[in-house]
Amino acid sequence: MLASAPVSRNSALDLPDEDRLDPHPDPAPQPAAARAVVLVGMPGAGKTAIGRRLAARLGLPFRDADTEIESAAGMPITEIFARYGEPHFRDGERRVITRLLAGPPVVLATGGGAFADHATRAAIKQSGAATIWLRCALPTLLRRVAGREHRPMFLNADPVEVLTRLMAARHPLYAEADVTVTCTDESPEATTRRVQDALADAVPPTRLAVGLGERGYDVLVGPGLLGRAGGLVAGLLPSRKVVVITDSAVGPLHLPALRDGLEAAGLSVLTEIAVPPGEGSKDLARLSDVLEAMLLAGLDRRTAVVALGGGVVGDLAGFAAAIAMRGVPFVQVPTTLLAQVDSSVGGKTGVNLKAGKNLAGAFHQPRIVLADTDTLATLPPRELRAGYAEVAKHGLLQGPLWDWCEAHGAAVVAGDTAALTHAVVESCRLKADVVAADEREESAEGGRALLNLGHTFGHAIEAEAGFDGSVLHGEAVAVGLGLAAALSARLGHCSQEWPSRVVAHLADCGLPARLADLPGRFTVDALLGRMAKDKKNRDGTMRFVLMRGAGECFTSADVPRAAVEGLLRDEGAG
């Protein structure tokens, strides 16, 4: 409620008729947009002028939040501030905006402080409206606010000082808008066209929830997320200080965009730590170096660690975040297909030991995962194919996704944007559901352990290859999937034709699918020795994920050692 006299008018506000407005109709208005559009920005950014024109172009009614508030309260905003103070005004402003966005889609121009208010910002986001920040430089704003000395913020104050202070406070919050358009001194019509184009080009990310109660988080999948990273993560972090961990191959490609995105929301990057690319960086020595660099840069318990890179960087940075200061916030920004579809979701972090892969680590869930699909365009073909092995694994676990893989896997490894996005979204959807049901892999049967399909063999192969890059993780997993299918057939769990179907699809996608497809030689004793140290083993008994077919996978310890030995020998192990 805004004031004592007009309480009922605010709670039962009737929206004004369209013919009371001056929409400046476009000569060829488009069909009405499917959702509301909210314009945010500083006083003088042009929210009303652009909003009217944009509404006409989109075929939507235009509303101005300040006008609606004054109508509801029966007095100017200046008087509301003078009588009741800003907290009272913000509460009423939120109620009016929430009401306007609860109805049919509109174009809504908000006051400069509306989106800076936490509760109002949350209400706007929850409404599903598209938000656009009209960003203006200080000189442009000063010219536009001339003559507005009656506004509460400018009363008896220097406009330069007021705007400078408000820009510093509000710009990091405006950065949480879906779209940012930089406004100049061009005509309102030209700016409106650019706003409309930016709105049309914007692709809302797919948001998947990992349901872990208070530790739950979202996985966002879509293009352009690096440039919006600050706005997407700022509200989830206890402070605006971060350290970024990446590798020397990914950093030059994607670190500038991430840095700009973080700084746009007022996040301060204390340091950027780059490790050498490859599995060799996932060891205790490198972990120690990373921890020392983080602490030297001034990391404290409120500082977040941002992992920018593939699975190696995510595992290493996540483990560092888990143990630094006994645990600091963590954000995953995966840039490889393998990391986006698998390792970035679920909170598994760790490093390798001489005894095997990921034998030192911790469960440490991220605050959010930003899977920017634009980064996949920079992957070498071999890395893209290796990442696809995890997609195929998810297909085998889920069932219908395997049918999709057989039809579209070639498009994924060829870099088709739509196919890649579908692969990432569906893989993350599957993994989010599995992790939510069995976060720490404690189910007696099935559960999260199913995600290790092909990994008992794959991890052994990878470790035996020495983590030297000759066999990538995804390549080892691909061979492991073929071996798991063959073992399932030998044990009578699936048809004898099933392994050939699995191997043929992986091979068609350019992946090694048989042990003989890998460089180097592997011995039965060496591989069994590695598998004996697998984390999934219980009471000294090896456990495998087996399959009856796509969508019918299960865990089993009832696997005779002789069957595994015979399979490895038949596949070419010495």
Side-chain angles (χ1 to χ4, degrees), residues 476-568:
V477 168
V479 173
L481 293 175
L483 291 171
L487 181 60
S488 299
R490 289 190 176 218
L491 297 176
H493 297 303
C494 64
S495 70
Q496 296 303 306
E497 294 75 26
W498 178 248
S500 297
R501 181 175 166 184
V502 173
V503 167
H505 175 65
L506 296 170
D508 288 345
C509 292
L511 281 161
R514 308 288 294 268
L515 200 58
D517 296 335
L518 297 175
R521 296 285 293 170
F522 300 88
T523 68
V524 173
D525 288 344
L527 291 176
L528 285 173
R530 298 285 186 182
M531 285 188 273
K533 298 181 176 67
D534 192 275
K535 300 187 301 300
K536 298 179 292 300
N537 296 345
R538 295 179 184 174
D539 301 322
T541 301
M542 288 192 295
R543 296 178 63 80
F544 291 85
V545 183
L546 302 175
M547 58 186 94
R548 298 183 181 92
E552 297 182 83
C553 298
F554 61 99
T555 56
S556 176
D558 187 18
V559 178
R561 181 184 176 94
V564 181
E565 290 179 354
L567 172 63
L568 292 175

Side-chain angles (χ1 to χ4, degrees), residues 71-389:
S71 175
M75 66 182 72
I77 289 176
T78 307
E79 189 174 347
I80 299 174
F81 265 79
R83 285 193 185 186
Y84 306 105
E86 183 172 3
H88 184 86
F89 171 78
R90 294 299 173 202
D91 180 68
E93 179 181 53
R94 182 179 68 257
R95 292 171 182 267
V96 169
I97 289 175
T98 299
R99 177 178 173 79
L100 290 170
L101 295 180
V106 297
V107 173
L108 176 65
T110 61
F115 204 66
D117 179 79
H118 174 77
T120 303
R121 191 165 66 254
I124 293 173
K125 291 180 180 180
Q126 188 173 6
S127 75
T131 50
I132 301 176
W133 174 21
L134 302 181
R135 180 171 58 189
C136 290
L138 179 61
T140 301
L141 292 176
L142 284 171
R143 288 191 293 273
R144 293 180 178 179
V145 301
R148 296 191 185 184
E149 290 80 4
H150 65 284
R151 301 290 289 182
M153 68 183 68
F154 296 125
L155 288 176
N156 303 316
D158 176 13
V160 174
E161 187 277 327
V162 170
L163 289 175
T164 301
R165 172 172 47 82
L166 290 178
M167 289 171 74
R170 292 178 177 177
H171 275 200
L173 302 172
Y174 293 156
E176 296 185 28
D178 299 321
V179 178
T180 298
V181 176
T182 299
C183 301
T184 63
D185 288 327
E186 65 189 358
S187 68
E189 289 77 12
T191 300
T192 303
R193 284 194 296 271
R194 291 198 298 113
V195 169
Q196 185 179 12
D197 290 343
L199 184 62
D201 292 340
V203 179
T206 300
R207 186 180 293 265
L208 304 169
V210 182
L212 294 173
E214 294 182 355
R215 293 176 297 102
Y217 54 94
D218 287 342
V219 179
L220 272 59
V221 182
L225 300 185
L226 291 183
R228 296 180 52 206
L232 294 170
V233 308
L236 305 172
L237 304 179
S239 80
R240 291 186 177 267
K241 296 187 298 180
V242 303
V243 299
V244 178
I245 300 175
T246 186
D247 70 42
S248 55
V250 171
L253 295 173
H254 303 303
L255 190 51
L258 176 65
R259 185 190 304 122
D260 291 346
L262 293 171
E263 292 177 350
L267 273 71
S268 174
V269 180
L270 298 183
T271 187
E272 297 165 351
I273 303 168
V275 302
E279 199 74 24
S281 285
K282 266 180 60 175
D283 63 13
L284 290 173
R286 187 69 59 183
L287 174 66
S288 177
D289 292 342
V290 168
L291 288 168
E292 294 288 357
M294 287 163 50
L295 294 169
L296 185 64
L299 175 135
D300 60 32
R301 288 182 174 176
R302 292 167 55 84
T303 305
V305 172
V306 179
L308 174 71
V312 168
V313 167
D315 285 358
L316 177 66
F319 194 23
I323 62 178
M325 302 281 184
R326 296 190 176 92
V328 298
F330 175 45
V331 173
Q332 281 272 25
V333 187
T335 61
T336 67
L337 180 59
L338 189 147
Q340 290 189 4
V341 302
D342 187 58
S343 61
S344 64
V345 181
K348 281 188 176 181
T349 71
V351 296
N352 304 325
L353 302 179
K354 291 180 180 179
K357 187 177 173 72
N358 295 331
L359 292 182
F363 286 95
H364 191 55
Q365 300 293 347
R367 296 294 178 94
I368 192 172
V369 178
L370 304 180
D372 188 334
T373 51
D374 286 342
T375 64
L376 301 180
T378 65
L379 285 180
R382 185 187 177 198
E383 291 279 356
L384 198 61
R385 291 193 298 269
Y388 179 72

Side-chain angles (χ1 to χ4, degrees), residues 8-21:
S8 61
R9 296 176 61 183
N10 185 35
S11 60
L13 178 63
D14 292 325
L15 301 185
D17 297 331
E18 261 187 273
D19 56 13
R20 287 175 51 194
L21 305 176

Side-chain angles (χ1 to χ4, degrees), residues 21-46:
L21 305 176
D22 178 19
H24 302 289
D26 185 82
Q30 297 181 358
R35 61 175 177 156
V37 178
V38 177
L39 301 177
V40 305
M42 292 287 292

